[in-house]
Coordinates of all heavy atoms in Angstrom, one line a residue:
R1206 N -48.4 -130.7 26.0 CA -49.6 -131.5 26.4 C -49.1 -132.9 26.8 O -48.2 -133.5 26.2 CB -50.6 -131.5 25.3 CG -51.1 -130.1 25.1 CD -52.5 -130.1 24.4 NE -52.6 -130.9 23.2 CZ -53.6 -130.8 22.3 NH1 -54.4 -129.8 22.4 NH2 -53.7 -131.6 21.3
E1207 N -49.8 -133.5 27.8 CA -49.3 -134.7 28.3 C -49.6 -135.9 27.4 O -48.7 -136.8 27.2 CB -50.0 -135.0 29.6 CG -49.4 -136.2 30.4 CD -50.0 -136.3 31.8 OE1 -50.6 -135.4 32.3 OE2 -49.7 -137.3 32.4
G1211 N -48.9 -130.8 21.0 CA -49.3 -129.5 21.3 C -48.8 -128.9 22.6 O -48.0 -129.6 23.3
W1215 N -49.8 -121.4 30.2 CA -50.1 -121.2 31.6 C -49.6 -119.8 32.0 O -48.7 -119.2 31.4 CB -49.4 -122.2 32.5 CG -50.0 -123.6 32.3 CD1 -49.9 -124.4 31.3 CD2 -50.8 -124.3 33.3 NE1 -50.6 -125.6 31.6 CE2 -51.1 -125.5 32.8 CE3 -51.2 -123.9 34.6 CZ2 -51.8 -126.5 33.6 CZ3 -51.9 -124.9 35.4 CH2 -52.2 -126.1 34.8
T1216 N -50.2 -119.3 33.1 CA -49.7 -118.0 33.7 C -49.4 -118.4 35.2 O -49.9 -119.3 35.8 CB -50.6 -116.9 33.7 OG1 -51.8 -117.2 34.4 CG2 -51.0 -116.5 32.3
S1218 N -48.6 -116.0 38.9 CA -48.3 -114.8 39.6 C -48.4 -115.1 41.1 O -48.9 -116.1 41.5 CB -49.4 -113.7 39.3 OG -50.7 -114.1 39.8
E1221 N -52.2 -115.0 42.3 CA -53.1 -116.1 41.8 C -52.5 -117.5 41.7 O -53.3 -118.4 41.5 CB -53.7 -115.6 40.4 CG -54.4 -114.3 40.5 CD -54.9 -113.9 39.1 OE1 -54.7 -114.7 38.1 OE2 -55.5 -112.8 38.9
G1222 N -51.2 -117.6 41.7 CA -50.6 -118.9 41.5 C -50.7 -119.3 40.1 O -50.6 -118.4 39.2
L1229 N -53.5 -126.0 23.1 CA -53.3 -125.7 21.7 C -52.8 -127.0 20.9 O -52.1 -127.8 21.5 CB -52.4 -124.6 21.4 CG -52.6 -123.3 22.2 CD1 -51.4 -122.4 22.1 CD2 -53.9 -122.6 21.7
V1233 N -45.3 -124.9 21.1 CA -44.8 -123.6 21.3 C -43.5 -123.6 22.0 O -43.3 -124.3 23.0 CB -45.8 -122.7 22.2 CG1 -45.2 -121.4 22.5 CG2 -47.1 -122.6 21.5
L1237 N -43.6 -114.3 23.4 CA -43.3 -112.9 23.6 C -44.6 -112.1 23.8 O -45.5 -112.2 23.0 CB -42.6 -112.3 22.4 CG -42.1 -110.9 22.4 CD1 -41.0 -110.7 23.4 CD2 -41.7 -110.4 21.0
D1261 N -54.0 -116.0 19.2 CA -55.2 -115.5 19.8 C -55.6 -116.6 20.8 O -56.1 -117.7 20.5 CB -56.3 -115.3 18.8 CG -57.6 -114.7 19.4 OD1 -57.8 -114.8 20.6 OD2 -58.4 -114.2 18.6
P1272 N -45.4 -117.1 6.4 CA -45.6 -118.6 6.3 C -44.7 -119.2 5.2 O -45.0 -119.0 4.0 CB -47.1 -118.7 5.9 CG -47.5 -117.3 5.4 CD -46.6 -116.3 6.0
A1275 N -39.4 -122.6 6.0 CA -38.2 -122.3 6.7 C -38.5 -122.1 8.2 O -39.6 -121.8 8.6 CB -37.5 -121.0 6.2
L1287 N -41.9 -106.7 15.1 CA -41.3 -108.0 15.6 C -40.0 -108.3 14.8 O -40.0 -108.1 13.6 CB -42.3 -109.2 15.4 CG -43.5 -109.2 16.2 CD1 -44.3 -110.5 15.8 CD2 -43.1 -109.3 17.7
E1294 N -33.8 -117.8 3.1 CA -33.0 -117.8 1.9 C -31.8 -118.8 2.1 O -30.7 -118.5 1.6 CB -32.5 -116.4 1.6 CG -33.6 -115.4 1.3 CD -34.2 -115.8 -0.1 OE1 -33.5 -116.3 -0.9 OE2 -35.4 -115.4 -0.3
T1296 N -29.8 -119.2 4.5 CA -28.9 -118.8 5.5 C -29.6 -118.0 6.5 O -30.6 -117.4 6.2 CB -27.7 -117.9 4.9 OG1 -26.8 -117.6 5.9 CG2 -28.3 -116.7 4.3
K1308 N -46.2 -105.7 6.7 CA -45.0 -105.8 5.8 C -43.9 -106.5 6.5 O -43.7 -106.4 7.7 CB -44.6 -104.4 5.3 CG -45.6 -103.7 4.4 CD -45.1 -102.4 3.9 CE -46.1 -101.7 3.0 NZ -45.6 -100.4 2.5
G1316 N -24.2 -114.2 5.5 CA -23.7 -114.9 6.7 C -24.8 -115.3 7.7 O -26.0 -115.0 7.5
I1331 N -26.3 -111.9 17.0 CA -25.2 -112.8 17.1 C -24.9 -113.3 15.7 O -25.8 -113.7 14.9 CB -25.6 -114.0 18.0 CG1 -25.7 -113.5 19.4 CG2 -24.5 -115.1 17.9 CD1 -26.1 -114.5 20.4
S1335 N -15.1 -116.9 11.4 CA -14.2 -118.0 11.4 C -13.7 -118.3 12.8 O -13.2 -119.4 13.1 CB -13.0 -117.7 10.5 OG -12.3 -116.5 10.9
Y1341 N -22.8 -108.5 16.9 CA -22.6 -107.5 15.9 C -23.6 -106.4 16.0 O -24.7 -106.6 16.6 CB -22.7 -108.1 14.5 CG -21.6 -109.0 14.1 CD1 -21.6 -110.4 14.5 CD2 -20.5 -108.5 13.4 CE1 -20.6 -111.2 14.1 CE2 -19.5 -109.4 13.0 CZ -19.5 -110.7 13.4 OH -18.5 -111.5 13.1
G1372 N -50.4 -158.6 26.1 CA -49.5 -159.7 26.2 C -49.8 -160.6 27.4 O -50.6 -160.2 28.3
P1392 N -15.1 -181.2 30.5 CA -14.0 -181.7 31.3 C -12.9 -180.7 31.6 O -12.7 -179.8 30.7 CB -13.5 -182.9 30.4 CG -13.9 -182.6 29.1 CD -15.2 -181.8 29.2

Side-chain angles (χ1 to χ4, degrees):
R1206 295 201 311 199
E1207 192 170 347
W1215 289 72
T1216 63
S1218 68
E1221 299 177 3
L1229 308 168
V1233 175
L1237 182 68
D1261 184 343
L1287 287 178
E1294 294 292 334
T1296 183
K1308 292 182 179 179
I1331 292 178
S1335 59
Y1341 289 86

